[in-house]
Amino acid sequence: MADKFLSLEKVKEVWHTQVHDEQNWALNKKLLRAFGLFVGSIIVFRNFGDQMARIFHQATMMPMISSRLSPVI
Amino acid sequence: MAAAYGQVPPSTTTQMDANGEEKMKTKVDYFNLPCPIPYEEIQREAFMSLKPELFEGLRFDFTKGLNQKFALSHSVAMGPTELPSQSSETIKIPTAHYEFGANFIDPRLMLVGRVLTDGRLNARLKCDLTDKLTLKGNAQLTSEPDMSHGMATFDYKGSDYRAQFQVGNGALFGASYIQSVTPHLSLGGEVFWTGQHRKSGVGVASRYNTDKMVATAQVASTGIVALSFVQKVSEKVSLATDFIYNYLSKEVTSSVGYDYILRQCRLRGKIDSNGCTSAFLEERLNMGLNFILSAEVDHRKKDYKFGFGLTVGE
């Protein structure tokens, strides 16, 4: 049988070297965590960016409003 | 007038989008593209939001303008300075220094000089030789042998491109070019060669920006892959994230941060994938008087940095 470009053996070999090898997996874990944080942030920013800014604005405005409403205290 | 006769202007067409609303689509004039951002500033929005000037200790800056173009500055900094160490622990030495500076700012010429108490002199020059050609220079002179260096840069600004050529001591040569490909997309590349260390490198970068967001990607043969994304939620709020991977040294970092401009202050904060959080606050107490607070906490390395200061003047 002719060698295929992508065979199950090659996939297993890559999986074994990248996941089961301690050194490579330590780097891959850091890489996945960082890239996941990057992509997840982009998704959150694009979908919920306006709401985040509104919540932050309200949180920073609350002390100013409460101090004006209660001058006696 | 043409519409009155039932004719549509040739540069615009109407389209129906998913909501069934008409949308005017302007045909792109590829011979009239905007001039792109300089190559070295391709990530400036992400840089401004995610990399404020964090410091540790006390900082006091006083700037006095003598006239519209000339100003003197006095800066005092007291705090620990990190020393490079091969172990994971950080080594800090308490230092204090005073810096005297002079600035000359003209529409076509800018000169900035700083002298420190340890004998170092920093100088910067920016001169618009013509409307399209700019000369920039910077130098750092010290009393230690072989530690002084200088660099000159020539920037040429075209209609839809920018080109730059750099030359520095130690036989350092560099060039970069960036071109607007569409009204929103620009692509560029750079190359450098250091004769002293016999090293060279190439890099490519791309930038896509709209009114609401900026996305950049940069790859260099020095091993750096840098991606960034900035969402401009409003004029006062920006959310930014970046991803930096060095495939030669096997280091990777991702940061998420915000930049919030209030009436009286500017607040920037970020957290990164190594568990380090930081924040930087600049508050305007009065006209020309700013209070600054800086904090950086790295629980993993057990490194905690807090700083406060005042800036007086412009």
Side-chain angles (χ1 to χ4, degrees):
Chain A
M1 191 175 180
D3 287 340
K4 291 183 182 173
F5 176 71
L6 185 69
S7 66
L8 194 58
E9 290 301 317
K10 281 187 182 172
V11 171
K12 280 184 183 174
E13 191 186 330
V14 168
W15 180 263
H16 185 72
T17 54
Q18 296 300 321
V19 177
H20 292 152
D21 183 80
E22 273 187 26
Q23 232 176 356
N24 283 342
W25 176 240
L27 172 65
N28 289 335
K29 202 166 61 174
K30 274 200 308 188
L31 203 57
L32 284 171
R33 185 171 61 218
F35 195 69
L37 180 64
F38 178 68
V39 171
S41 304
I42 292 175
I43 294 170
V44 169
F45 290 168
R46 289 189 68 82
N47 292 325
F48 305 109
D50 292 335
Q51 293 175 27
M52 286 166 65
R54 205 174 305 129
I55 290 169
F56 195 82
H57 181 73
Q58 285 173 359
T60 51
M61 289 296 287
M62 280 306 291
M64 287 172 58
I65 294 169
S66 60
S67 65
R68 285 180 187 177
L69 288 175
S70 57
V72 178
I73 298 173
Chain B
M1 192 72 165
Y5 290 92
Q7 293 179 3
V8 178
S11 62
T12 58
T13 55
T14 55
Q15 280 187 346
M16 303 297 283
D17 65 6
N19 295 331
E21 296 171 359
E22 285 190 3
K23 195 166 65 171
M24 299 294 289
K25 185 178 176 184
T26 309
K27 193 176 174 184
V28 176
D29 182 3
Y30 287 99
F31 292 101
N32 198 20
L33 294 173
C35 191
I37 302 288
Y39 186 88
E40 68 272 15
E41 293 179 25
I42 207 164
Q43 295 190 342
R44 70 177 176 195
E45 286 86 0
F47 198 79
M48 281 198 310
S49 297
L50 295 174
K51 292 181 172 50
E53 291 179 7
L54 299 170
F55 63 98
E56 187 176 7
L58 166 74
R59 203 176 97 181
F60 177 75
D61 299 318
F62 175 72
T63 304
K64 173 71 178 174
L66 299 183
N67 58 37
Q68 281 183 350
K69 296 185 181 183
F70 190 70
L72 296 177
S73 70
H74 307 270
S75 299
V76 172
M78 301 166 73
T81 306
E82 273 186 34
L83 289 182
S85 71
Q86 295 186 354
S87 65
S88 60
E89 287 184 15
T90 51
I91 300 172
K92 296 183 183 180
I93 294 182
T95 56
H97 68 256
Y98 164 73
E99 184 180 274
F100 174 73
N103 307 331
F104 177 82
I105 298 176
D106 191 63
R108 295 183 76 90
L109 176 65
M110 184 188 82
L111 299 168
V112 174
R114 297 280 184 272
V115 178
L116 282 83
T117 43
D118 57 7
R120 273 184 292 157
L121 168 70
N122 296 322
R124 277 189 295 146
L125 154 78
K126 183 175 172 227
C127 178
D128 293 335
L129 301 174
T130 66
D131 286 340
K132 297 193 175 191
L133 185 62
T134 302
L135 166 66
K136 288 193 268 191
N138 65 76
Q140 187 177 74
L141 307 177
T142 70
S143 54
E144 294 173 37
D146 299 326
M147 293 297 284
S148 301
H149 53 260
M151 185 181 295
T153 304
F154 292 91
D155 290 332
Y156 185 80
K157 178 181 167 184
S159 58
D160 59 358
Y161 67 92
R162 284 184 193 257
Q164 187 185 82
F165 179 70
Q166 279 181 328
V167 58
N169 69 326
L172 170 68
F173 297 98
S176 68
Y177 179 84
I178 185 164
Q179 169 80 51
S180 285
V181 176
T182 71
H184 299 292
L185 178 67
S186 47
L187 303 174
E190 65 171 346
V191 60
F192 71 89
W193 182 72
T194 58
Q196 198 171 22
H197 303 287
R198 291 279 189 264
K199 280 186 182 174
S200 64
V202 294
V204 292
S206 66
R207 177 186 164 100
Y208 183 85
N209 66 289
T210 65
D211 293 336
K212 286 286 183 186
M213 54 78 87
V214 177
T216 67
Q218 204 164 358
V219 179
S221 63
T222 49
I224 297 281
V225 174
L227 311 172
S228 75
F229 179 84
V230 177
Q231 181 79 23
K232 298 177 199 172
V233 177
S234 70
E235 283 179 3
K236 297 184 178 184
V237 182
S238 294
L239 302 170
T241 179
D242 74 353
F243 172 85
I244 299 173
Y245 174 49
N246 189 328
Y247 52 81
L248 293 178
S249 66
K250 307 291 184 197
E251 286 172 3
V252 58
T253 308
S254 176
S255 309
V256 180
Y258 62 89
D259 184 352
Y260 194 63
I261 300 175
L262 290 157
R263 263 187 313 150
Q264 298 285 101
C265 75
R266 182 178 184 184
L267 178 61
R268 286 175 275 183
K270 75 164 189 193
I271 183 167
D272 69 19
S273 57
N274 297 325
C276 182
T277 60
S278 63
F280 191 80
L281 170 73
E282 299 161 276
E283 174 133 7
R284 194 180 71 197
L285 299 178
N286 209 336
M287 182 70 75
L289 181 64
N290 291 335
F291 177 64
I292 45 179
L293 281 176
S294 167
E296 189 178 5
V297 173
D298 190 339
H299 290 292
R300 197 169 294 183
K301 290 184 186 174
K302 293 191 178 5
D303 187 19
Y304 315 109
K305 298 176 190 168
F306 298 94
F308 69 97
L310 273 178
T311 61
V312 182
E314 297 166 14

